[in-house]
């Protein structure tokens, strides 16, 4: 199974939190990134973890989102705190060139 599988999306009110997970068996070799795409907008990068274990965040989520890895479960988690309506989007992970199907996050004001 090379295609990553996301889970954990849902609906939450502004200021709330959600945790997303992406299971990707080869992410330790390739690294993994989270992207999102809101309706009618271009896809944008959110956060990533490299094969060396470094992490990075887009400015618009820095300080609110936390990316972490669970190597025994081949999973990368994205903890999203202080959510805003503008965080509403389909969130997808990508690793080794393979994209997941995505999980929807909806934040209401």
């Amino acid at each position: 199974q090379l295609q990553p599988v996301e889970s954990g999306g849902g609906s939450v009110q502004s200021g709330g939190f959600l945790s997303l997970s992406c299971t990707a068996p080869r992410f330790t070799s390739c690294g993994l990134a989270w992207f999102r795409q809101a309706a009618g907008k271009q896809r944008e990068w959110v956060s990533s973890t490299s094969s060396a274990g470094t992490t990075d965040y887009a400015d618009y989520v820095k300080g609110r989102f936390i990316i972490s890895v669970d190597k025994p479960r081949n999973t990368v988690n994205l903890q999203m705190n202080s959510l805003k309506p503008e965080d509403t989007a389909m969130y997808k992970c990508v690793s080794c060139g393979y994209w997941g199907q995505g999980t929807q996050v909806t934040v209401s004001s």
Side-chain angles (χ1 to χ4, degrees):
Q1 176 67 31
L2 296 178
Q3 184 179 29
V5 178
E6 304 95 338
S7 62
S11 297
V12 66
Q13 288 192 326
S14 181
F17 63 91
L18 285 171
S19 182
L20 306 183
S21 294
C22 175
T23 300
R26 295 177 60 191
F27 86 89
T28 55
S29 299
C30 303
L32 186 144
W34 283 97
F35 285 79
R36 69 187 185 185
Q37 187 168 16
K41 295 187 177 181
Q42 289 190 332
R43 184 171 61 198
E44 60 183 13
W45 169 70
V46 175
S47 179
S48 56
T49 179
S50 72
S51 58
T54 60
T55 60
D56 204 2
Y57 301 91
D59 286 344
Y60 36 82
V61 304
K62 197 172 293 184
R64 299 189 297 123
F65 290 13
I66 302 171
I67 191 169
S68 62
V69 303
D70 183 349
K71 290 183 178 180
R73 292 183 170 83
N74 293 319
T75 298
V76 175
N77 301 307
L78 185 68
Q79 177 67 35
M80 306 186 297
N81 303 315
S82 301
L83 283 163
K84 306 174 182 180
E86 51 263 44
D87 293 318
T88 295
M90 177 68 74
Y91 284 71
K92 292 186 176 184
C93 59
V94 56
S95 181
C96 300
Y98 292 89
W99 288 83
Q101 294 291 328
T103 186
Q104 178 67 36
V105 171
T106 302
V107 185
S108 58
S109 56

